[in-house]
Amino acid sequence: MADKIKLLLAAVVLGGAVAAFYYFADLMLFVRVVVLLVAVGVAVAIAAQTAVGADALAFLRSALMEVRKVVWPTRKETMQTTLVILAMVTVMGLLMWGFDAFLAMMVRTLTG
């Protein structure tokens, strides 16, 4: 029950911040954005105190650990892969254009 109350409070804080962002449209945009970001931070902090929030934070931490383990391709590998993809797209485009032209010719022949 306490988790539901905390999540509801986080939703109210977030909804109030969005409403205030539009209600105080005459204030500087920078001020409104800063207040909105602070409110989002407060809402996330409140939501993180729940079981669902703790699970979400644990998932994000493990996802960041996995991203650090990724072996990213070098610039050379990226360029080679991009060129292969561009070549295949070009070849497939030409094949599809030729097949379409053939079908159009067949339809013209059949329909007179």
Side-chain angles (χ1 to χ4, degrees):
M1 183 65 174
D3 281 354
K4 290 181 182 180
I5 293 172
K6 288 177 187 176
L7 287 174
L8 180 64
L9 179 62
V12 167
V13 168
L14 191 58
V18 170
F21 180 84
Y22 290 108
Y23 181 75
F24 295 108
D26 54 333
L27 290 177
M28 289 184 349
L29 179 63
F30 177 76
V31 173
R32 292 186 300 150
V33 168
V34 168
V35 170
L36 182 65
L37 290 176
V38 168
V40 167
V42 169
V44 167
I46 293 171
Q49 303 303 314
T50 65
V52 174
D55 289 344
L57 286 176
F59 174 76
L60 287 175
R61 283 189 195 107
S62 65
L64 286 174
M65 293 271 275
E66 291 300 320
V67 166
R68 289 186 193 121
K69 294 178 186 178
V70 172
V71 178
W72 298 101
T74 64
R75 179 176 172 85
K76 182 180 176 185
E77 291 170 337
T78 303
M79 293 299 290
Q80 288 173 344
T81 304
T82 302
L83 290 175
V84 168
I85 290 170
L86 287 175
M88 288 305 299
V89 166
T90 302
V91 168
M92 289 305 297
L94 290 172
L95 286 173
M96 291 175 73
W97 172 74
F99 187 64
D100 181 56
F102 172 74
L103 288 177
M105 181 187 70
M106 294 302 294
V107 168
R108 272 191 303 249
T109 302
L110 290 175
T111 59

